[in-house]
Amino acid sequence: MNGPRFNEWIVSPKVRVIDHEGENLGVMYTREAQAQAQELGLDLVEVSPNADPPVAKFLDVGKYKYEAQKKANLARKSQKTQEIKEIKMRPNIDDHDYDTKMKKVHEFIGEGDKVKLTLRFRGRELSHGQLGMAVLQRVAQDTAEVAKVEAYPRMEGRQMLMVLSPK
């Protein structure tokens, strides 16, 4: 059975009862409380099974499950997953191109996403790793107030990688 226990599925002999208007009726025998709930046309629903004694309420169990499901759906809808966006550059990138890439980096960080910067080296550029390192350090400085460096620059084959995440 999924969801809260109700009516005859409540296993404890005594429960603390709260009626349909939110009034505390005190501790009662479960069967007695169940009978009172049925007189009102409601179910006895266990809302806090870990309490001592468990807390049960007079509710319409179908409506209660529906409300709980609606609340769960709303929570699922409002949660944001963090994605990793990738920006590719070259070690000898020009200023204007750099500025354009930086606008995108700031946009991604602003949306709460991580940014993976990839610097691809070709041919002779590979022997000038310090140029690539200088570009990535410049990126780190330019984004210092909005992002932190999660993975510091490292070489992986012919490319240098760095990961930034929002502060």
Side-chain angles (χ1 to χ4, degrees):
M1 186 177 102
N2 57 346
R5 288 188 289 234
F6 61 96
N7 293 345
E8 57 272 0
W9 285 287
I10 297 176
V11 290
S12 54
K14 286 185 174 182
V15 288
R16 181 173 305 279
V17 180
I18 295 165
D19 73 1
H20 59 290
E21 286 152 4
E23 293 292 314
N24 189 347
L25 302 179
V27 179
M28 305 178 147
Y29 285 106
T30 305
R31 301 296 157 246
E32 189 183 314
Q34 192 180 329
Q36 279 188 23
Q38 279 177 337
E39 281 173 29
L40 294 165
L42 296 170
D43 302 295
L44 185 68
V45 181
E46 202 172 39
V47 288
S48 178
N50 300 331
D52 189 34
V55 179
K57 234 176 181 176
F58 292 168
L59 296 168
D60 179 357
V61 81
K63 189 175 180 183
Y64 181 74
K65 281 183 176 178
Y66 173 71
E67 295 289 336
Q69 190 179 12
K70 238 168 80 168
K71 205 181 289 180
N73 285 344
L74 191 67
R76 195 175 314 117
K77 192 167 77 174
S78 64
Q79 91 185 169
K80 168 120 174 61
T81 56
Q82 194 176 46
E83 293 177 32
I84 297 184
K85 306 282 189 171
E86 187 174 19
I87 299 277
K88 292 183 178 177
M89 296 183 185
R90 297 280 310 280
N92 53 356
I93 190 169
D94 203 36
D95 284 341
H96 184 266
D97 297 335
Y98 174 83
D99 293 338
T100 307
K101 299 276 188 186
M102 288 313 294
K103 274 186 196 155
K104 272 305 202 190
V105 169
H106 281 284
E107 186 182 311
F108 293 149
I109 295 286
E111 290 169 4
D113 294 324
K114 291 183 181 183
V115 177
K116 176 182 173 185
L117 288 139
T118 305
L119 233 72
R120 175 154 288 143
F121 291 92
R122 284 210 207 125
R124 283 187 214 114
E125 293 172 347
L126 212 51
S127 58
H128 299 287
Q130 73 278 5
L131 291 175
M133 192 57 95
V135 171
L136 290 180
Q137 284 172 343
R138 182 175 165 199
V139 170
Q141 285 172 350
D142 291 351
T143 58
E145 67 273 359
V146 290
K148 60 180 181 285
V149 178
E150 191 173 283
Y152 286 92
R154 67 180 190 282
M155 284 299 290
E156 252 181 42
R158 290 188 156 274
Q159 47 192 10
M160 192 177 276
L161 304 172
M162 178 171 83
V163 179
L164 298 173
S165 63
K167 272 191 175 169

